[in-house]
């Protein structure tokens, strides 16, 4: 009977050493693969080509280029009213006819309504798809982060064109900046 327990202990020790050896091999392999991936990512970042003819690309997207555009007016500043009248004035000035969709929040606070903002943007995107809009012209009054969030959610989709209201504002209120590329 003592031989059984001695053999079982030896088998257990052997299996433990085998498991330790396999863990070390898998860890070494994972480290090697991660090092290779990091090297490839650094090489890719180093060799990423510059955007050629950025101004030409920007101008190619300027204006209304499809049959069903929509203006998206976002007012995200506290105690601010809708920017719809400003957007309507701009559209009238440039002579464009398009629907205007709004999103109005009384400020954007990460601890209170950031999730609500993201969900509302996703709802608007589904609405734009359901209505068959083919390009979105974005007018935003709010924090820079709100624009970055919108860009992340609307990137690689239909053409999205960004407009800026400079200070002091020109008579037509907004200036075209660029599309989301």
């Amino acid at each position: 009977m003592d031989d059984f327990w001695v053999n079982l202990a030896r088998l257990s020790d052997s299996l433990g050493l085998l498991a330790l050896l396999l863990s070390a091999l898998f860890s070494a392999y994972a480290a090697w693969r991660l090092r290779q991936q990091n090297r490839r990512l650094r090489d890719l970042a180093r060799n990423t080509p510059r955007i050629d003819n950025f101004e030409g690309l920007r101008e190619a997207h300027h204006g209304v280029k499809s049959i069903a555009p929509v203006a998206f007016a976002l007012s995200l500043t506290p105690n601010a009213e809708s920017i719809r009248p400003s957007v309507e004035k701009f559209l009238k000035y440039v002579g464009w006819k398009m629907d205007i969709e709004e999103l109005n929040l009384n400020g954007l606070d990460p601890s209170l309504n950031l999730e609500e903002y993201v969900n509302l943007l996703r709802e608007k995107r589904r609405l734009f798809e359901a209505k068959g809009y083919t390009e979105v012209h974005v007018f935003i009054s709010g924090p820079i982060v709100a624009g970055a969030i919108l860009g992340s959610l609307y990137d690689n989709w239909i053409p999205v064109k960004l407009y800026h209201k400079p200070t002091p504002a020109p008579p037509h209120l907004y200036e075209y900046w660029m599309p989301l590329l």
Side-chain angles (χ1 to χ4, degrees):
M1 190 68 162
D2 286 335
D3 287 341
F4 172 76
W5 293 113
V6 170
N7 288 335
L8 186 62
R10 286 182 184 158
L11 179 64
S12 174
D13 290 344
S14 298
L15 290 176
L17 288 174
L18 181 62
L20 182 64
L21 177 63
L22 287 175
S23 295
L25 287 175
F26 286 130
S27 296
Y29 176 73
W32 175 71
R33 293 288 295 178
L34 284 172
R35 194 170 294 120
Q36 273 188 324
Q37 181 181 357
N38 284 340
R39 186 178 313 123
R40 276 192 297 248
L41 288 173
R42 280 192 302 270
D43 290 344
L44 182 64
R46 205 175 302 122
N47 297 326
T48 299
R50 295 179 51 89
I51 295 176
D52 291 331
N53 192 17
F54 178 77
E55 191 58 36
L57 183 62
R58 181 181 171 270
E59 287 303 316
H61 287 276
H62 189 286
V64 175
K65 302 292 181 187
S66 66
I67 58 170
V70 64
F72 190 21
L74 289 95
S75 181
L76 307 170
T77 51
N79 303 320
E81 299 187 17
S82 170
I83 62 169
R84 184 184 186 102
S86 301
V87 173
E88 287 173 341
K89 182 177 178 183
F90 171 77
L91 294 175
K92 185 176 180 181
Y93 179 84
V94 294
W96 295 343
K97 302 271 191 246
M98 66 178 75
D99 293 341
I100 299 174
E101 292 288 338
E102 289 186 274
L103 177 57
N104 299 316
L105 290 176
N106 189 15
L108 195 58
D109 185 349
S111 62
L112 297 177
N113 60 354
L114 193 56
E115 181 180 350
E116 176 187 8
Y117 173 64
V118 169
N119 287 328
L120 288 170
L121 285 176
R122 294 175 73 211
E123 284 178 26
K124 285 293 186 180
R125 181 174 167 156
R126 286 191 298 272
L127 176 75
F128 295 158
E129 289 172 346
K131 288 189 173 185
Y133 292 125
T134 52
E135 65 184 57
V136 179
H137 297 257
V138 177
F139 303 85
I140 187 168
S141 173
I144 293 171
V145 174
I149 293 168
L150 178 131
S152 71
L153 293 173
Y154 286 23
D155 189 28
N156 293 323
W157 184 45
I158 62 176
V160 177
K161 301 167 185 192
L162 308 173
Y163 293 83
H164 171 68
K165 185 177 184 179
T167 305
H172 53 280
L173 295 177
Y174 289 97
E175 295 175 344
Y176 167 72
W177 271 39
M178 65 181 285
L180 285 180
L181 299 174

